[in-house]
Amino acid sequence: MKTKITELFGIKYPIILSGMSWISTPELVAAVANAGGLGILATGILKPEETREYIQRTRTLTKRPFAANVTLYFPGSEKNAKVIINEKVPVVNYALGKGDWICREVHAYGGKVIATVTTLKHALAAQRDGADALIVTGHEAAGHGGAVTSMVLVPSIVDEVKLPVIAAGGFADGRGLAAALALGAEGISMGTRFMNSVESPVHASQKENSSKCDVYNTVYTNKVDGLPARFMKTRGSVHLMNKRLNPLSALFQSRKIAKLLGFPWLKLAIGILLMGFRKSLQMARMAIGFEAFKVGTIDGDNVRGVLPIGQITGIIHDTPTVKQIIERISKEAKDANKVLTSKL
Ligand SMILES: Cc1cc2nc3c(=O)[nH]c(=O)nc-3n(C[C@H](O)[C@H](O)[C@H](O)COP(=O)(O)O)c2cc1C
């Protein structure tokens, strides 16, 4: 397959593994790279020294290009970005923040930058800031998809930017890849599909749950981690949606976030006190959400925890290897093309 994305990153298939905390580990990233796609290593919940270790471990598992992500909204994320840059990771993916300095520093060593966006405003900002490609995430997606569905969001952004677009949110098979290319995208990025693969470290029960879900088994809410996001509809996610918080809980919860990210607690607590009512509530939800993601992902507990999942889970009914997923998508996309050609 040949698209602007395969050319830009030197990969065989325009298929990308999204950066998913606790899931997009060196093993899963390397499996995707070795199968000819591009894996994005998730560093959102890692301390800087863990980020370095994960990057080095990925390099022992694959000689192919890979990416690492940084979520600029998280406290202390700049330190992770610095590690990724010092390690000269071939592709850097940033989200939820201004990445002009990341583009400058990554380009200085010959790397490429992908910005993840959910709106045209942020797509244009990323283009101005020097990104080489965009991941455009629609409403169907697991986690923080935008307000607009991929079917509408992707062509609306493709029409307005010069950068190659990677469509995310609602893709799991070759029909989806062919549709994304028809909408003007140059590739797809998938979370839910790769989460349910043999190599994925998510708890086995969640792979089974994901295989059984239909397209209605998700909720989209800002009450779990403070930003609008999609999760599996479970007792855990419904409980968090109904949970009332007061700003003081942000201070209590901030200890957990600081510990998880290796960030000085006092600095975070002072930051929260200065944030004002709305932002500090958001911070409290983020801390609770972090804990709940971990329990949902690692322990497979859908009562105390939550699992981000996309609507596309409704058409996923098996747990293949990463290689099988990628090769199957490639074949299905070619079959879809033949069907289209005969119909058009
Ligand atoms: C289990 C799971 C965990 C995720 N964790 C994160 C995360 O930590 N950070 C993030 O930016 N996106 C996260 N996502 C969202 C993906 O990066 C991606 O945007 C989304 O999965 C794409 O839509 P799809 O699920 O329809 O393929 C997660 C997705 C899943 C399925």
Side-chain angles (χ1 to χ4, degrees):
M1 288 190 168
K2 189 174 162 189
T3 73
K4 286 182 186 158
I5 288 299
T6 59
E7 301 280 288
L8 187 65
F9 303 133
I11 52 178
K12 191 170 170 198
Y13 300 106
I15 298 174
I16 293 172
L17 159 73
S18 305
M20 298 178 275
S21 299
W22 291 287
I23 297 177
S24 302
T25 51
E27 290 70 23
L28 188 58
V29 168
V32 171
N34 290 334
L38 183 77
I40 302 179
L41 189 65
T43 74
I45 42 84
L46 302 181
K47 300 181 179 109
E49 59 273 21
E50 292 170 327
T51 298
R52 178 166 292 108
E53 187 196 315
Y54 271 46
I55 292 168
Q56 292 173 353
R57 195 156 93 226
T58 307
R59 287 203 159 111
T60 66
L61 299 170
T62 184
K63 297 286 164 262
R64 303 256 177 99
F66 67 96
N69 79 353
V70 54
T71 306
L72 294 169
Y73 166 78
F74 290 167
S77 57
E78 293 81 14
K79 284 194 181 155
N80 267 351
K82 287 277 173 207
V83 171
I84 295 170
I85 290 165
N86 285 340
E87 287 289 323
K88 296 188 170 54
V89 172
V91 183
V92 179
N93 169 224
Y94 73 86
L96 298 175
K98 189 159 169 58
D100 51 346
W101 62 278
I102 293 182
C103 295
R104 268 195 310 277
E105 295 189 26
V106 173
H107 289 157
Y109 65 75
K112 304 284 181 218
V113 179
I114 312 175
T116 297
V117 299
T118 57
T119 63
L120 176 60
K121 185 176 158 206
H122 290 157
L124 291 171
Q127 179 167 268
R128 272 195 308 276
D129 286 344
D132 301 288
L134 300 171
I135 292 180
V136 170
T137 312
H139 189 62
E140 304 91 324
H144 305 115
V148 178
T149 58
S150 297
M151 187 75 183
V152 176
L153 187 66
V154 170
S156 75
I157 291 184
V158 164
D159 284 349
E160 299 296 331
V161 299
K162 295 191 180 72
L163 299 178
V165 163
I166 299 154
F171 299 98
D173 63 16
R175 293 172 298 180
L177 173 57
L181 297 180
L183 292 175
E186 299 286 332
I188 53 171
S189 181
M190 305 188 298
T192 302
R193 174 65 278 188
F194 282 125
M195 181 267 288
N196 191 354
S197 65
V198 170
E199 293 90 337
S200 160
V202 74
H203 193 278
S205 65
Q206 299 292 33
K207 297 183 192 179
E208 208 181 315
N209 294 335
S210 160
S211 301
K212 286 186 193 146
C213 279
D214 62 29
V215 295
Y216 307 103
N217 277 141
T218 71
V219 291
Y220 184 73
T221 173
N222 64 359
K223 295 280 167 47
V224 171
D225 74 349
L227 293 174
R230 188 175 301 282
F231 302 92
M232 194 184 282
K233 188 173 185 183
T234 57
R235 263 177 69 190
S237 58
V238 171
H239 169 73
L240 284 184
M241 279 164 73
N242 295 327
K243 193 177 166 91
R244 293 179 85 80
L245 288 181
N246 67 60
L248 265 187
S249 58
L251 272 185
F252 294 120
Q253 296 296 338
S254 64
R255 262 194 186 282
K256 285 186 195 159
I257 272 205
K259 193 164 167 236
L260 187 72
L261 299 175
F263 194 77
W265 175 67
L266 200 60
K267 205 170 159 189
L268 189 64
I270 292 170
I272 287 172
L273 285 174
L274 298 174
M275 267 173 190
F277 181 76
R278 246 192 69 224
K279 275 232 148 191
S280 63
L281 271 186
Q282 201 180 37
M283 214 19 119
R285 291 214 182 269
M286 187 169 127
I288 293 171
F290 261 41
E291 181 87 1
F293 289 177
K294 189 174 178 192
V295 172
T297 307
I298 307 295
D299 304 339
D301 183 336
N302 280 336
V303 177
R304 286 187 312 115
V306 294
L307 186 75
I309 203 156
Q311 291 177 324
I312 200 71
T313 188
I315 68 160
I316 294 172
H317 304 298
D318 59 358
T319 307
T321 65
V322 160
K323 190 165 184 284
Q324 284 167 337
I325 290 173
I326 291 182
E327 287 176 355
R328 189 159 82 189
I329 291 180
S330 163
K331 184 185 173 302
E332 287 168 351
K334 286 173 187 161
D335 291 346
N337 186 35
K338 278 186 209 141
V339 172
L340 276 180
T341 310
S342 71
K343 286 185 182 170
L344 293 174

